[in-house]
Structure formats: structure tokens, C-alpha cells
Amino acid sequence: MTHVPKQEVLRRARADSSRSAAVVSGRTEWNIMAAGRLSFRNITALAPMVRVGTLPMRLLALDYGADVVYCEELIDIKMVQCQRVVNEVLQTVDFVAPDDRVMFRTCEREKDRVVFQMGTADPDRALAVARLVEKDVAAVDVNMGCPKEYSTKGGMGAALLSDPDKIEAILTKLVTGVSIPVTCKIRILPSVEETISLVQRIERTGVAAVAVHGRFKEERPRHPVHCNYIQAVARAVSIPVIANGGSLDVVKTNADIEHFRRATGASSVMLARAAMWNVSVFVSEGPLPVEKVMEEYLKYAIRYDNHAFNTKYCLCQMLRDKVESPLGKQVQAAQTNAEISAAYGLHTFCRHVQEQQQTRRAALQSGGQSERPVMDGDVTTVAVKFERRNYPPQITPKMFLLEWSRRERVEQPLYETVQRSQDRGFQSTVTVAGKRFRSTLWEKSKKFAEQAAAVVCLRVLGIPEGRIGEEDSGLVCKRKRDGKTNGGAEQQQEQSKKRHLGDVQQETQSSATPALANGDHREADTPPEQAQP
Ligand SMILES: Cc1cc2nc3c(=O)[nH]c(=O)nc-3n(C[C@H](O)[C@H](O)[C@H](O)COP(=O)(O)O)c2cc1C
């Protein structure tokens, strides 16, 4: 790895948030991606950790040089109930449970680096979850190492290790069902031979890599890691093996990552506790003072509206034996991110960020927000609410869009509508001339949702939408003249010529704003795979 001075690491990370993960670790986009897919060869990863691996920690790990970041394990049954929501205020994508809790929050910045880890014992459900998150993450992983009863009694986690047929069914379903790489994380079996035979079977399913935690399922985090098992596995398969389990007795600093890689003969290394205690362990020059790391973590937690409970949990892990210090006590007593910030002297920063978020939220709610289009996959989105009172009776944006598409001789607009369970809200996507448009806001009825989608399309294309005050536009004139032919059509055509679909799409892409902030309201409810030693 190239050595980059510490200050430079941080400067670059802040200056170019969209590519920093690759830059700070000295690796390039080119060698982390292979054929447009995330490669697990020769990487250093933040391990999946319940409560710890939420967005602020993942982004900080990327800043400090991790190549790949795993999210905390999320259970398939909960994930399948989630709705994917674009959060305009934070510029994140949230997966929201029916009770409104954000189960998984991610953002553009980590899209090519984040691995979504799920707990599952069911191939169909696993596939449904993988498809739900597929376009927002770089890979999906199945946890096959959790020894906790809550996991094993449902046939998940380490229970899978004794059911290789189930492992094969889940992985095969995922590998054939999604376009992103699939990986899994296992613990070692009682003998080297059994472990090798299982990993060879896993390899045959077509997974991109396998992470091996070098402990038996009965072993606790305090037990030494069995590097010889990982080494034997690494020799026996050709997919990348990611060595894990070295935080306690091997990896103390960044240089130890390489020792662990060598000791295990693995292609890659994954760190859990060493990163939880001080995530700057990924900095090649050596770790930063944990006080600095806590501050940086807290800034991300505020920017991404991380749940205060989760913020506190992570800071307490970093404080370690100082958790009973005056600072530790202040953190423990705090109930909000603002109160936690006060303990770190970051209250002004916190107030400023929260005010910005509030302003943006208010603008979105009032409908007076910036109507800058943002790409959500292949859909152009704008936050638009359909207000009936803004249009004359019998005139709607949908009519205008239909009229325009006839005139342009493109296919009639096609509306697809979904309803979310938490508030029965509707959201429509309209397809016009092969391009898709949607409002990010949810409407009370299907009719309104379709009108909002039509408004987005018309506004993005720069076509009149029939609002009061636009009476000169074609359709209103046509209606007024009661059946007379296309009055005002030329004017509309003139306007529509100004912006063609292709141009608009391009403009939209280039104006899409970079990630502003992110966070997790989730109160982590799944216990960690292992208690802290
Ligand atoms: C707080 C905490 C939470 C964890 N949560 C998960 C998890 O969600 N999924 C998982 O596969 N492993 C989980 N683990 C296990 C770690 O990923 C890792 O396998 C283990 O800690 C050994 O690695 P280490 O020596 O680097 O800590 C967790 C570990 C800790 C300490």
C-alpha cells in the first residue's frame, strides 16, 4: 500500500468525498473494481458489526482508508417489510420499516464500497432483500457466523454451518438472482478438512469471496484466532478469502493488518473490534488520537441524523476504559445528538447542521423547495406536491402530458403506482419516451400521485402544465374554445423544442447534488454477534 501522510489523508478524504475511500488507502478505483464490480482481492474491510456498522462509522472507515465497509447484520424478515425511500433532506436512501424506523441508511458516497449483510435462513426471502437493496449497495453478504441464540434458533447465522444444503440453496439463489457480487461470512468448523470442504462447496455456488472468522462457533472473542485454519482454506480455494478474527491478539495498528494477512495467507483482511475501538486503524501512517476520531465520528452522526442511542453506543466503545470519566458520564447522560455534541464542544457545529436540515425540510414540506432534479437510479425525481387549487377546473397536468406526447408522437405516458404501508401514501412513476419521472413526495391518493409524477415530467422537460396563469398554453385554450383544434400548439411546440428529453437527462445527471448528510434513526435491536471481550 502507498503511504500517504496523515494530514493529507484527511484533507483528501474531505475534499473529494465521492472517491475518498479509494484515494486514502492508496488504492485506485481501477484495482478495487473489476469489470465494474467490487473486487474482494487485496482489500481491507470494516467488518459487519451490529450497532457499530451504521452509516457514520462506515463513512469514517472509508475516510481513513478502508476499501470496503460492511453494514451491521440486518434480518431478512424485517428488511422485506421495508420501503425504499429517498431522503431529500439528508440526501440518503433509507429503508424504512412499517413502524417508520430506518433499518438501513446509505448514500451515494459509499455506494461502490458498501456490502449489505443479511441474516437469513430462507433463499426466497434472501433474494427479495437482495433485490430490494441491489441498486444502492456494492455487494450482499450472508452472515453464517453468529452463534447467538436469537440467530441460530431461526436457522440463521452459525446454524447454517451445519446445514450446507441450505447454504448452497441461499447462495445459489442470490448469485443467480442479483447482478452484484454475493459473499458470505463463516466461522471455522471443528476440523480443517471440514472447513475446507464447506468453503469449496461455497465456492462452487459462484460467490465472489468468503470471509472466514478464525474461531469455532463455541469460542468467545477472548480466544485466540486460528490463523492456520484460515491459511488452509486460503490455499484450497481460488476465490478471495477475507481473514477475520485478529483484532485482539494480532492487529493493534495498521502495520499489523499486513502481518495478519501474511499469517493467514489470505487475500484480504476484515477488522471488527480494532476498528470499533479506533477506526483510524485503517490509516496507513498509524492511528489518530481517539479523541479526534470521536469528534469526526460525531460530526458524521450529526450530518446524517444518526439515532442518538446509536451514537452514544459507538462513542462508549471508543471511550473504552474512559467510559466512567467525566466525558464518558456526560455522553452516557445525553439523550440527543445535540447533548452529546455539547460534551465534545461541537454544539455550534451541531446547531448549524440541524438548522440547515430544518430549513431544507421546511422547504420540501411547503413545496417551495428547490426543484432541482435528482437522479434516483434511472428515474428523474423532484419533490413536487400536486395542489388541485393551482389548476383550473377540468385541467390537469396529466392531460397536458398526454397532449404533449400525442403531438410529439411518442407513446402515451405510462403510470406505475405503489402504496406504502406505514401511512397508505401513494407514489407514481411515469414513463414518457423511455424516460422515467417521479415525485419524491407521497400523495394521499393514486390520482394525485399520478398528477404529481406528470408535473415532475412536465417541469423537467420545460413544458407548460396547465397551472392557473398559464392560460395561454395549448390545452387550456383548446378546452376554452370548446373543441376547436389545437390552439396554442405552436407555442407549446416551441417550448418543448427548447428542451429535449436527452438534454434534460444529461443536465439532471450533472446537477445531482453530492451526499450532504446521513444517519440512522434505528434503535439497534439485534444483539451483537459477540459481546465485547
Ligand atoms: C459489536 C460487534 C457486533 C458484531 N456484529 C456482527 C454482525 O452483525 N455480523 C457478523 O457477521 N459479525 C458480527 N460481529 C463479529 C465480527 O464481525 C467479527 O467476526 C469478530 O468480532 C471477530 O473479528 P475481530 O477480531 O476483528 O473483532 C460483531 C462483533 C462485534 C464486536
Side-chain angles (χ1 to χ4, degrees):
M1 278 193 185
T2 309
H3 284 257
V4 180
K6 212 178 292 174
Q7 290 314 315
E8 181 61 7
V9 165
L10 294 173
R11 193 195 63 72
R12 288 193 209 167
R14 297 279 175 260
D16 185 357
S17 61
S18 64
R19 334 176 15 249
S20 60
V23 172
V24 294
S25 64
R27 302 193 61 200
T28 62
E29 199 75 21
W30 176 78
N31 59 15
I32 291 178
M33 307 297 281
R37 283 156 66 94
L38 181 61
S39 156
F40 291 86
R41 218 166 274 286
N42 194 27
I43 55 132
T44 306
L46 174 73
M49 280 183 280
V50 166
R51 294 197 186 101
V52 177
T54 56
L55 186 59
M57 186 64 84
R58 299 197 304 265
L59 293 181
L60 200 52
L62 290 174
D63 281 355
Y64 288 145
D67 300 306
V68 173
V69 288
Y70 281 67
C71 77
E72 60 179 335
E73 177 196 48
L74 292 157
I75 305 299
D76 61 354
I77 296 179
K78 289 186 181 164
M79 279 305 296
V80 283
Q81 297 172 29
C82 287
Q83 184 86 39
R84 178 183 184 277
V85 178
V86 175
N87 184 328
E88 291 287 335
V89 177
L90 302 177
Q91 297 286 312
T92 58
V93 175
D94 297 345
F95 292 84
V96 185
D99 63 2
D100 257 358
R101 288 198 311 169
V102 177
M103 301 302 293
F104 176 56
R105 171 164 287 163
T106 185
C107 66
E108 189 62 32
R109 157 82 194 287
E110 67 169 0
K111 194 173 172 180
D112 294 337
R113 298 284 181 275
V114 66
V115 181
F116 180 91
Q117 190 192 59
M118 69 174 98
T120 186
D122 181 284
D124 293 324
R125 222 167 22 232
L127 182 59
V129 173
R131 287 202 171 140
L132 178 68
V133 298
E134 185 176 4
K135 62 178 174 170
D136 298 302
V137 300
V140 288
D141 179 83
V142 178
N143 183 358
M144 301 181 180
C146 180
K148 293 277 171 186
E149 201 198 329
Y150 83 90
S151 196
T152 52
K153 75 169 188 258
M156 298 183 292
L160 284 170
L161 297 175
S162 38
D163 191 351
D165 291 342
K166 179 71 74 61
I167 292 184
E168 192 176 311
I170 294 172
L171 294 178
T172 306
K173 190 103 193 181
L174 287 174
V175 168
T176 53
V178 292
S179 56
I180 53 177
V182 176
T183 61
C184 68
K185 178 166 174 277
I186 63 161
R187 279 180 177 241
I188 53 175
L189 297 182
S191 72
V192 169
E193 294 70 32
E194 285 169 280
T195 314
I196 288 179
S197 141
L198 176 69
V199 178
Q200 285 176 333
R201 195 161 171 192
I202 287 173
E203 181 178 36
R204 287 196 290 274
T205 64
V207 293
V210 59
V212 182
H213 176 187
R215 287 190 180 87
F216 305 116
K217 66 179 180 203
E218 302 76 22
E219 286 186 319
R220 301 282 66 122
R222 65 177 179 279
H223 290 116
V225 60
H226 302 276
C227 290
N228 58 327
Y229 274 65
I230 305 178
Q231 195 175 49
V233 168
R235 284 205 189 111
V237 293
S238 51
I239 49 170
V241 168
I242 309 168
N244 171 243
S247 279
L248 195 65
D249 36 0
V250 188
V251 182
K252 304 271 182 268
T253 68
N254 186 274
D256 300 330
I257 296 177
E258 199 47 41
H259 297 149
F260 188 45
R261 196 193 307 270
R262 292 222 185 100
T264 54
S267 172
S268 298
V269 168
M270 169 188 273
L271 297 181
R273 287 164 299 166
M276 174 176 79
W277 296 323
N278 187 337
V279 65
S280 71
V281 68
F282 292 110
V283 176
S284 56
E285 285 262 309
L288 306 185
V290 75
E291 292 72 26
K292 177 76 190 155
V293 175
M294 287 194 283
E295 220 178 283
E296 294 298 315
Y297 171 81
L298 188 51
K299 283 183 182 166
Y300 269 136
I302 295 163
R303 286 202 193 107
Y304 288 97
D305 196 18
N306 200 46
H307 196 290
F309 171 91
N310 185 248
T311 307
K312 266 166 70 166
Y313 181 84
C314 291
L315 289 170
C316 287
Q317 303 309 312
M318 296 184 224
L319 282 162
R320 297 187 79 184
D321 54 350
K322 294 199 182 65
V323 78
E324 291 304 325
S325 67
L327 173 65
K329 284 188 176 146
Q330 230 180 318
V331 172
Q332 290 186 62
Q335 295 297 314
T336 61
N337 280 338
E339 285 172 17
I340 303 171
S341 305
Y344 286 87
L346 284 175
H347 40 286
T348 310
F349 173 86
C350 181
R351 199 178 52 240
H352 180 66
V353 173
Q354 290 185 339
E355 277 169 10
Q356 277 181 338
Q357 289 169 356
Q358 190 45 40
T359 307
R360 191 156 169 77
R361 195 169 295 122
L364 287 163
Q365 275 160 6
S366 71
Q369 73 283 2
S370 135
E371 290 197 349
R372 189 148 60 144
V374 173
M375 290 309 292
D376 178 9
D378 66 339
V379 185
T380 305
T381 69
V382 181
V384 164
K385 206 122 193 92
F386 173 65
E387 301 278 359
R388 188 70 196 87
R389 64 173 183 274
N390 291 340
Y391 300 85
Q394 297 178 338
I395 295 294
T396 67
K398 273 183 77 177
M399 290 173 180
F400 268 68
L401 187 56
L402 180 64
E403 187 70 11
W404 179 84
S405 57
R406 282 184 182 146
R407 227 182 13 254
E408 294 287 319
R409 298 189 203 291
V410 296
E411 290 217 335
Q412 223 168 287
L414 182 72
Y415 295 86
E416 295 157 80
T417 304
V418 291
Q419 188 179 23
R420 66 179 173 189
S421 49
Q422 68 249 41
D423 60 357
R424 326 277 314 144
F426 292 85
Q427 192 177 51
S428 287
T429 304
V430 62
T431 305
V432 178
K435 304 278 186 271
R436 307 174 74 214
F437 304 87
R438 176 197 303 146
S439 169
T440 53
L441 306 182
W442 294 74
E443 295 279 359
K444 285 188 292 284
S445 69
K446 179 169 176 277
K447 275 188 195 166
F448 274 40
E450 289 180 350
Q451 296 294 357
V455 172
V456 171
C457 176
L458 291 162
R459 286 190 194 168
V460 170
L461 298 180
I463 305 163
E465 64 193 70
R467 282 160 73 104
I468 293 168
E470 270 182 11
E471 270 87 352
D472 284 348
S473 55
L475 190 59
V476 180
C477 297
K478 180 180 161 195
R479 291 255 155 173
K480 277 185 179 166
R481 284 192 307 275
D482 243 343
K484 283 183 200 159
T485 49
N486 271 335
E490 290 88 339
Q491 186 195 341
Q492 263 195 306
Q493 254 164 3
E494 238 346 270
Q495 298 224 21
S496 72
K497 269 186 214 151
K498 285 186 196 152
R499 307 182 90 194
H500 289 289
L501 283 162
D503 305 342
V504 169
Q505 201 80 9
Q506 262 182 4
E507 267 176 48
T508 307
Q509 255 146 5
S510 61
S511 71
T513 44
L516 171 78
N518 173 329
D520 196 332
H521 293 280
R522 187 171 90 91
E523 205 154 4
D525 54 353
T526 36
E529 178 184 296
Q530 302 164 314
Q532 257 198 277

